[in-house]
Amino acid sequence: MNNQKQEKSFYRGSAAAMTEHAAALIITEAYHSIADHGRFSLVLAGGNSPRSLYRQLAYGIETGCLEHYGLRLPDGEQTEKNGQFTLMPWQQTWIFWGDERCVPPGHPESNYRMAEETLLLHSPLPVDHLFRIPAEQADAGRAAEAYETAIRSFFSIPGHPHTPENVPAFDLLLLGLGEDGHTASLFAGNVQALQESMRLAIAVDAPNGNPPGKRITITLPLINHARNVLFFTSGKAKARLAEKIYRKEECDLPASLVSPVNGRLFWFTAQP
């Protein structure tokens, strides 16, 4: 998959259908990644939109719906089952985060806490398979460096020299979309962050964020090296913006800069 031409897909529908379809795709891709290289690396998005998706991943997917969405598990790969449900292969899954507000992990605004409440507490994921962003540290810059070091260590990719070739490839990276076009914690007003070409994770100021304040975010080089990037949005306004970005009618927003080098790009827009 690393050498394929970029593929793009856009899906729209009810919240229930988009949640089920996205979860089915993630679970399918997890098993294909394990069949290919023995593990599945998943980057989680923050915000409110993915809550239902995380609950679905924790619960699993009805096996019959995989065929409905045109998805196939790898031949001969043993899958985790619970009755008629296909489950995530948690023992071979490692989880990371795309961004985090500079708050303690138990804070109501923490992306980690949201994932913990909706996914982690309901899944048998080994504790040492979690790579949380240490955003509660007093020095956000050093916290970003520590997170980048952890990512590089996981992939056994050196940090020096800083070159475009020294960028790891996550198996699947989830992103949200703000109504202002931001994704992860990459905002339109932060030109330096958007032009970062070497670092994998950086500290940023987000005066227009919700809430405003310091954050730590992964960068575009890391996002665009992923094997699969999946935007998951909810609401009509975000769906309209997502379609404009997908059709390249809006090219100046941070989310429009997401263009996997050799991977696949999926847009899921859940609407009421």
Side-chain angles (χ1 to χ4, degrees):
M1 188 177 299
N2 280 337
N3 297 317
Q4 67 186 23
K5 184 179 178 181
Q6 187 202 78
E7 300 176 23
K8 296 197 303 180
S9 302
F10 190 94
Y11 303 99
R12 65 175 69 83
S14 68
M18 291 300 94
T19 298
E20 182 182 70
H21 189 175
L25 189 150
I26 293 168
I27 290 174
T28 301
E29 188 59 33
Y31 282 105
H32 280 283
S33 297
I34 291 165
D36 181 61
H37 49 269
R39 67 186 185 188
F40 178 58
S41 54
L42 172 65
V43 180
L44 299 182
N48 290 314
S49 293
R51 287 179 179 271
S52 61
L53 178 58
Y54 295 166
R55 294 190 184 100
Q56 184 78 66
L57 287 175
Y59 194 70
I61 287 291
E62 284 192 63
T63 303
C65 84
L66 296 175
E67 184 176 353
H68 173 73
Y69 293 118
L71 299 168
R72 283 190 59 186
L73 296 170
D75 294 333
E77 187 71 19
Q78 187 170 355
T79 57
E80 299 290 331
K81 299 275 190 177
N82 182 6
Q84 296 300 311
F85 285 80
T86 297
L87 308 178
M88 275 284 292
W90 293 116
Q91 299 303 311
Q92 295 144 297
T93 297
W94 278 259
I95 286 183
F96 298 76
W97 275 259
D99 71 321
E100 184 59 276
R101 301 174 175 98
C102 288
V103 296
H107 192 280
E109 299 292 343
S110 166
N111 287 336
Y112 173 84
R113 175 175 172 174
M114 186 277 281
E116 182 180 50
E117 292 174 346
T118 55
L119 176 62
L120 304 180
L121 291 177
H122 312 286
S123 308
L125 185 80
V127 175
D128 61 353
H129 286 205
L130 293 174
F131 285 78
R132 183 178 68 81
I133 301 175
E136 72 279 10
Q137 293 184 13
D139 189 324
R142 289 191 175 182
E145 290 175 4
Y147 188 52
E148 175 168 339
T149 298
I151 293 172
R152 290 190 179 280
S153 176
F154 176 79
F155 286 99
S156 301
I157 291 179
H160 297 283
H162 282 303
T163 64
E165 291 74 28
N166 281 351
V167 179
F170 283 107
D171 292 313
L172 195 145
L173 195 149
L174 287 167
L175 291 173
L177 176 69
E179 292 187 11
D180 60 355
H182 84 268
T183 191
S185 282
L186 297 169
F187 291 84
N190 196 332
V191 176
Q192 184 176 357
L194 294 173
Q195 292 180 345
E196 175 61 53
S197 61
M198 299 299 179
R199 296 290 308 280
L200 306 184
I202 57 175
V204 297
D205 289 313
N208 298 320
N210 182 23
K214 281 189 172 294
R215 300 185 181 197
I216 294 170
T217 183
I218 60 174
T219 60
L220 285 168
L222 185 57
I223 292 171
N224 285 330
H225 273 77
R227 294 184 174 94
N228 299 276
V229 177
L230 192 159
F231 276 94
F232 190 85
T233 72
S234 60
K236 292 182 178 179
K238 291 183 181 181
R240 287 193 294 268
L241 179 58
E243 189 156 6
K244 285 184 177 180
I245 294 171
Y246 176 77
R247 295 183 181 278
K248 296 187 177 181
E249 296 170 4
E250 178 58 79
C251 301
D252 297 327
L253 298 175
S256 67
L257 301 177
V258 174
S259 181
V261 177
N262 293 306
R264 299 184 295 175
L265 177 61
F266 301 93
W267 286 88
F268 284 84
T269 57
Q271 303 175 56

